[in-house]
Amino acid sequence: IKENNHFEYHRIIIERGLSKAQLAKELGISVRTVFRWEKDMISMTLKNAVEVASFFEISLDELVGI
């Protein structure tokens, strides 16, 4: 998933009241990875995007702001 998805992703995390650490633990990834997603230092893989969308019970379209 390419850049510019951070806004929707970050908005969803805030709305759900979830910390980076909580999300990382739930997804089995490092907090550093979550931080890097939010700062657009790295892009989410499709696998990660599917896992995040599934965790939040939203579509991939909603995750990336389409």
Side-chain angles (χ1 to χ4, degrees):
I1 303 296
K2 206 58 185 145
E3 295 90 35
N4 299 327
N5 66 318
H6 65 90
F7 177 76
E8 290 302 314
Y9 164 79
H10 189 66
R11 178 188 60 79
I12 292 164
I13 288 178
I14 290 171
E15 285 178 357
R16 305 291 170 102
L18 208 62
S19 71
K20 291 176 189 67
Q22 290 169 315
L23 180 62
K25 183 177 179 181
E26 290 293 329
L27 297 176
I29 59 175
S30 70
V31 175
R32 181 178 179 197
T33 296
V34 175
F35 173 81
R36 292 174 76 192
W37 288 343
E38 288 187 5
K39 299 297 181 187
D40 279 335
M41 297 170 76
I42 60 172
S43 296
M44 272 186 206
T45 64
L46 181 56
K47 179 181 183 253
N48 288 142
V50 169
E51 290 172 350
V52 170
S54 177
F55 175 76
F56 287 122
E57 299 178 338
I58 60 173
S59 69
L60 286 173
D61 288 349
E62 187 177 354
L63 179 66
V64 297
I66 296 176

